[in-house]
Amino acid sequence: MAAWGVSCRLFLFNFIRGIYWKVILECLTNQFFKHAIMVLSVPESTLLFFRAALLNWYARSHRPLPWKGITDPYLIWLSEIILQQTRVEQGLPYFERFQAVYPDVHALAAAPEDDIMKMWEGLGYYSRARNMHATAKYIAHELGGEFPSTYEQIQALRGVGPYTAAAIASFAFDLPHAVLDGNVFRVLARFLGIDVPTDSTTGKKIFQSLAQEALDSLQPGRYNQAIMDFGATLCTPQQPRCSACPLQVQCVAYQQDRIDQLPVKSKSLKKKIRYFHYLVVQTDTQTLLHKRTNKDIWQNLHEFPLIELTSVTTDWQTLSSMPLWTQLFGTTEVQLTGQRHFKQVLTHQIIHATFWEIAAPDSVLVHQTDFVVTDRKNLRKFAFPKIIDWYLQDDSLYLNLL
């Protein structure tokens, strides 16, 4: 136990200016200290300064956005789902369109899924749209249109995690739940000088505890908006505007010249590389589409008939030996008229897509029960992955979309 006493004295000595994070990490390897993290707290004077500086900055510099200052939980939920993994600049026009077409949860619940997917087109992470539609139906049909009003009830909704639940609970119902997203991780890590990896189990617990402790419980919605706006516009990942920062005088990262080192992540994401070969069948006026229904990316979006290979190929004879080619064309003679390449980088995957433009007689469209036969002029009515949108919008295409 002598070692325990020495460890305690050293720990307290290094705790004077707030939280000494390297000591915490060392303590986590000691069974005596394993749960110490749960009882640590930032000095109240530091918290008071932090809250006041953030809220004063927000009063002068907040971004005027249409979902701010409202208390309608439906619209707040709609905005938060749209903004998951999405920049505000990209999500804003989508929110405005959804609000105009589906002004309440009943309107959204009554919409056909294909219409929702088409309106979502280009925003990515399409499971959000499917979850959003399912949740709207649940609220409209099972809850009588009454949006859940507690954090636990909100988090139980499909597609809603801890961050989104905290945002809705605080913005719509002024409940004291702290949001924790990339912006909040960054602001707290820099201000307090925390070098615990944000993507580690320990790091997530530390930051969640700190975020909740730093929250202004008297105005949680306004505080949450302030810290997120601050991270998005001032304390940015690259080239933060430290010279204009009201937290600068107590910011550990700034004082120690460690801004570019924080926050820390321990894991680097390895992306899977995939090679898609799309057969763009072109008769006089029609083409073939397929709806993706498997548990994979772009579920419920449409695409051209697809052959996935393990590499890029420029030899269409490779494709002609595939079962799908035989299913589509059999022994019918067709002609390759064009070939275009596009690349899309997703969070976990990199897609290399080659579009093979194939002129074929109308007879190949007969009995194609696995595909949708459509006039090319109607392609705009379907929801496609972004990479197919890029292909269709290519000015050099001769596809007749009029």
Side-chain angles (χ1 to χ4, degrees), residues 84-235:
Q84 287 175 350
Q85 303 292 325
T86 301
R87 293 177 294 104
V88 168
E89 295 76 13
Q90 183 186 9
L92 177 57
Y94 285 86
F95 172 80
E96 292 173 334
R97 286 196 291 271
F98 269 94
Q99 182 183 20
V101 178
Y102 308 116
D104 57 46
V105 72
H106 295 287
L108 185 61
E113 183 179 271
D114 283 348
D115 290 359
I116 291 174
M117 298 302 286
K118 180 62 179 175
M119 188 171 289
W120 194 273
E121 188 179 51
L123 198 54
Y125 297 95
Y126 291 90
S127 61
R128 291 181 294 168
R130 294 190 295 272
N131 289 336
M132 186 176 74
H133 195 208
T135 297
K137 289 180 177 179
Y138 169 72
I139 294 173
H141 302 151
E142 303 296 326
L143 304 182
E146 193 73 24
F147 205 94
S149 58
T150 69
Y151 174 84
E152 292 74 19
Q153 292 170 338
I154 295 169
Q155 191 177 355
L157 296 175
R158 188 168 164 180
V160 173
Y163 160 78
T164 303
I168 297 169
S170 62
F171 300 154
F173 304 107
D174 218 28
L175 296 176
H177 294 277
V179 296
L180 183 59
D181 68 352
N183 292 315
V184 179
F185 272 120
R186 186 166 55 257
V187 172
L188 291 177
R190 287 173 173 172
F191 179 71
L192 295 169
I194 309 170
D195 54 13
V196 181
T198 59
D199 54 352
S200 66
T201 301
T202 299
K204 290 174 183 176
K205 290 179 180 178
I206 289 173
F207 280 98
Q208 186 61 64
S209 177
L210 278 171
Q212 191 62 36
E213 191 173 5
L215 180 72
D216 188 329
S217 59
L218 298 179
Q219 43 184 339
R222 186 172 178 80
Y223 169 88
N224 279 337
Q225 289 281 16
I227 194 169
M228 289 193 296
D229 268 19
F230 187 83
T233 62
L234 200 73
C235 192

Side-chain angles (χ1 to χ4, degrees), residues 254-402:
Y254 180 80
Q255 299 297 331
Q256 296 179 358
D257 195 23
R258 298 170 59 207
I259 291 292
D260 60 344
Q261 300 172 25
L262 298 172
V264 173
K265 281 192 174 183
S266 61
K267 302 171 186 174
S268 59
L269 185 64
K270 186 175 182 180
K271 296 179 185 289
K272 179 181 180 181
I273 301 176
R274 301 174 70 177
Y275 301 92
F276 288 4
H277 297 269
Y278 285 117
L279 307 182
V280 185
V281 181
Q282 300 174 347
T283 66
D284 285 343
T285 61
Q286 294 181 306
T287 190
L288 291 174
L289 297 177
H290 171 71
K291 191 172 187 178
R292 295 178 65 90
T293 56
N294 293 334
K295 298 289 184 182
D296 195 359
I297 57 171
W298 306 331
Q299 188 178 13
N300 291 347
L301 298 185
H302 286 83
E303 64 184 357
F304 297 107
L306 169 65
I307 295 174
E308 182 172 357
L309 300 178
T310 57
S311 64
V312 172
T313 180
T314 57
D315 180 12
W316 79 321
Q317 297 302 319
T318 302
L319 302 178
S320 66
S321 65
M322 297 293 163
L324 178 61
W325 185 281
T326 303
Q327 177 186 344
L328 289 174
F329 306 119
T331 58
T332 302
E333 189 172 322
V334 297
Q335 181 181 0
L336 178 66
T337 59
Q339 181 185 8
R340 304 180 191 279
H341 306 277
F342 293 85
K343 174 184 174 183
Q344 183 176 2
V345 179
L346 307 175
T347 303
H348 302 283
Q349 303 183 32
I350 298 175
I351 307 299
H352 293 272
T354 302
F355 293 83
W356 302 81
E357 296 163 0
I358 301 167
D362 290 340
S363 59
V364 304
L365 304 180
V366 180
H367 308 306
Q368 294 292 352
T369 56
D370 292 339
F371 299 93
V372 177
V373 179
T374 183
D375 288 344
R376 294 204 298 271
K377 66 182 181 181
N378 291 329
L379 285 176
R380 288 196 181 96
K381 297 180 180 179
F382 293 88
F384 294 107
K386 184 178 290 186
I387 200 165
I388 295 181
D389 271 339
W390 292 339
Y391 167 74
L392 293 175
Q393 291 167 12
D394 188 335
D395 290 339
S396 62
L397 281 177
Y398 73 85
L399 275 175
N400 179 15
L401 300 180
L402 300 178

Side-chain angles (χ1 to χ4, degrees), residues 68-93:
K68 287 185 178 180
I70 62 174
T71 57
D72 182 342
Y74 164 74
L75 292 179
I76 292 170
W77 164 74
L78 182 65
S79 71
E80 289 300 328
I81 298 300
I82 287 173
L83 293 176
Q84 287 175 350
Q85 303 292 325
T86 301
R87 293 177 294 104
V88 168
E89 295 76 13
Q90 183 186 9
L92 177 57

Side-chain angles (χ1 to χ4, degrees), residues 17 42-58 60 187-188 190-192 213-214 216 223 230 244-252 254-255:
R17 196 195 174 279
V42 180
E44 186 61 27
S45 59
T46 301
L47 291 178
L48 289 173
F49 167 81
F50 183 76
R51 293 188 199 113
L54 272 183
L55 290 169
N56 288 337
W57 172 87
Y58 184 70
R60 303 187 310 270
V187 172
L188 291 177
R190 287 173 173 172
F191 179 71
L192 295 169
E213 191 173 5
D216 188 329
Y223 169 88
F230 187 83
C245 177
L247 301 176
Q248 181 194 106
V249 292
Q250 290 197 33
C251 176
V252 173
Y254 180 80
Q255 299 297 331

